[in-house]
Amino acid sequence: MREAYQDQLGQLAERLADMCAMSGKAIELATKALLEADLGVAEQVISDDARIDEVRASIEEQAYALLALQAPVATDLRTVLAVIHAAESVERMGDLALHVAKAARRRHPNHVLAEPVAPYFAEMGRIAVELATEATDIIRTQDVARARSLEDADDAMDDLHRHLFTVIMDKEWPHGVPSAVDTTLLGRFYERFADHAVSVAKRTVFVVTGKMPGYGDEEA
Amino acid sequence: MREAYQDQLGQLAERLADMCAMSGKAIELATKALLEADLGVAEQVISDDARIDEVRASIEEQAYALLALQAPVATDLRTVLAVIHAAESVERMGDLALHVAKAARRRHPNHVLAEPVAPYFAEMGRIAVELATEATDIIRTQDVARARSLEDADDAMDDLHRHLFTVIMDKEWPHGVPSAVDTTLLGRFYERFADHAVSVAKRTVFVVTGKMPGYGDEEA
């Protein structure tokens, strides 16, 4: 009985890790669709998103059942609650990748991005995938030190995003208003993706230490 | 002992309602700061945000303690979990109001918004306050029918937001790129505020019925 309970806890964390990996795949493919104006890849991300939502719903059900039937305490309780919170963040990461894919589809066969800003998004995409991958590993390993160094990648994302913003707002921006608007929204999607990945890592720190690090300061 | 426990549950919901009311106040004042280029009001919203974050942290602590010490089941468990989720949404509503206030402060003494779009934001602000007020009442009354009619106000917000977007993307937009970018981001803040208010109402439906309505379809 005790063994089955420990199995269930382990399964819960593993399913969250799977879901996080799916969101990393989603942002990787969405970025490819964006940079290459690839409609097929965009459509794949769009249809795969439902799967991420299903996994989140099932994780929540499983977590609630554990709470109702097993009344976990201490670290086990923190684990279940952290998984519930983190699943909400990971679903949001999936939604943001979905928004990127939809933007690529909306403007196809044109590229959404003007050539000069494409390199920013190539790099933001790379960082986003790295963050999702790191978060996935942190869920599996519960390595608190890695959770803290995730913030460096998030800082890099914020720097890029700020840089991109000054390019868009520059009075020499020659690509017109619609392009500026699309680029602004896309930049925000990547920046929020990163914020949510950091959130997931912080929830893992909470499981291990019992404290949420730097609580409430994810986005200035 | 049982009475104290029921009190604690009631208190938890009441504090969430207070927090939701605070977020409604925040978006009301932030909208005023935006439309009137009022620095003092913007500063008030900015400094009041910390209070919303504190209430959220304390609600989460209280909810976790209830779970750990009382092992609630059935409707009581759903209440505690709904409060935990809803507090995260309400904190996000506060953050979005904060972003609006910061935009007003950033461009002061200039108005952020070009005159022709100001009426959109006056209306979006009005709807946002209505949504936060409705959500607050729904938390207090647990009225499932009202939770469902909240979606009408959210639809109105989405319509306005879409309309605003076509105005910004129109080739006749004469106010320049920076204004288009600011307006786009601000429109998104109000739209996301509404999404989160609907989320809070849905969590209340979950407490009463045991099912999350229309799960996973908050934002297309």
Side-chain angles (χ1 to χ4, degrees), chain A residues 99-111:
Chain A
H99 290 336
V100 173
K102 282 184 167 179
R105 180 174 70 175
R106 200 176 302 123
R107 305 282 178 238
H108 187 271
N110 296 324
H111 283 259

Side-chain angles (χ1 to χ4, degrees), chain A residues 92-154:
Chain A
R92 196 64 202 136
M93 286 158 73
D95 286 344
L96 292 158
L98 175 68
H99 290 336
V100 173
K102 282 184 167 179
R105 180 174 70 175
R106 200 176 302 123
R107 305 282 178 238
H108 187 271
N110 296 324
H111 283 259
V112 184
L113 303 170
E115 257 201 72
V117 298
Y120 285 91
F121 285 87
E123 184 58 8
M124 288 193 296
R126 194 199 62 71
I127 295 173
V129 173
E130 179 187 317
L131 281 163
T133 307
E134 245 330 70
T136 302
D137 286 348
I138 288 164
I139 293 165
R140 288 190 173 124
T141 61
Q142 306 245 300
D143 188 329
V144 167
R146 283 174 81 181
R148 289 176 180 137
S149 69
L150 204 82
E151 301 233 31
D152 296 336
D154 182 49

